[in-house]
Amino acid sequence: MASTAPTPESLAMRELIEARDDEFRALLAKYAATRPRLFGSVARGTAQAGSDIDILVDMDPADGNLLMRASGLLEEVRALFGRDDIDVFPSQLLRRAISESALRDSGVEADIVRDVVKTHLPPLAEALSQHRRGPESNSTV
């Protein structure tokens, strides 16, 4: 199978991340996240207009509430890059088959991970939703 050159969109998204590398790494340190790696279409070099940026990180659960740290990191990374289409996934929250696929992709191979994660990780989706709504929405009626 012949290797093809990355699309201009893939290159632009990679350059966006690289341009803010120091700030991005500071956020990773703040949330005790390590080993950031791209996966999905940007990693494969097949991104097109409208593609999102998927980033896989490692987060040790022993360093504190994993869901809250993942939620905070996601929000701050999106703010840093000024894009709502960046997803940050802790590998520890992915089901084994999905995690293995994302890891292959990061080194390069699957764009369905985001949809599968949203389906299989409702607690993360709920934590993100609550974080966006703010503390005043956490009261029960």
Side-chain angles (χ1 to χ4, degrees):
M1 178 178 193
S3 175
T4 60
T7 63
E9 291 86 350
S10 295
L11 294 173
M13 290 178 187
R14 290 177 188 177
E15 288 171 7
L16 173 71
I17 301 291
E18 291 170 9
R20 309 290 301 266
D21 186 61
D22 289 343
E23 295 154 292
F24 178 57
R25 295 209 177 264
L27 287 177
L28 293 172
K30 177 180 177 180
Y31 290 97
T34 60
R35 297 187 57 225
R37 50 247 189 244
L38 292 170
F39 69 101
S41 61
V42 175
R44 287 190 310 271
T46 60
Q48 299 297 318
S51 291
D52 63 353
I53 300 172
D54 297 309
I55 303 170
L56 189 67
V57 297
D58 291 340
M59 295 179 111
D60 186 342
D63 289 333
N65 186 310
L66 189 59
L67 289 176
M68 295 308 292
R69 289 175 29 234
S71 175
L73 178 61
L74 175 66
E75 291 297 319
E76 289 202 49
V77 166
R78 287 179 171 180
L80 173 65
F81 293 107
R83 297 178 63 131
D84 288 333
D85 61 350
I86 296 179
D87 294 312
V88 180
F89 299 108
S91 60
Q92 291 77 6
L93 292 179
L94 299 177
R95 292 182 186 262
R96 177 167 303 250
I98 302 305
S99 180
E100 289 171 2
S101 175
L103 288 170
R104 274 193 311 275
D105 209 22
S106 70
V108 188
E109 185 181 32
D111 230 343
I112 61 166
V113 173
R114 182 171 58 126
D115 294 330
V116 173
V117 168
K118 286 181 182 176
T119 302
H120 293 287
L121 291 177
L124 179 57
E126 178 58 27
L128 292 174
S129 178
Q130 282 185 342
H131 180 75
R132 288 186 183 127
R133 288 192 304 259
E136 66 279 351
S137 67
N138 290 338
S139 62
T140 58
V141 178

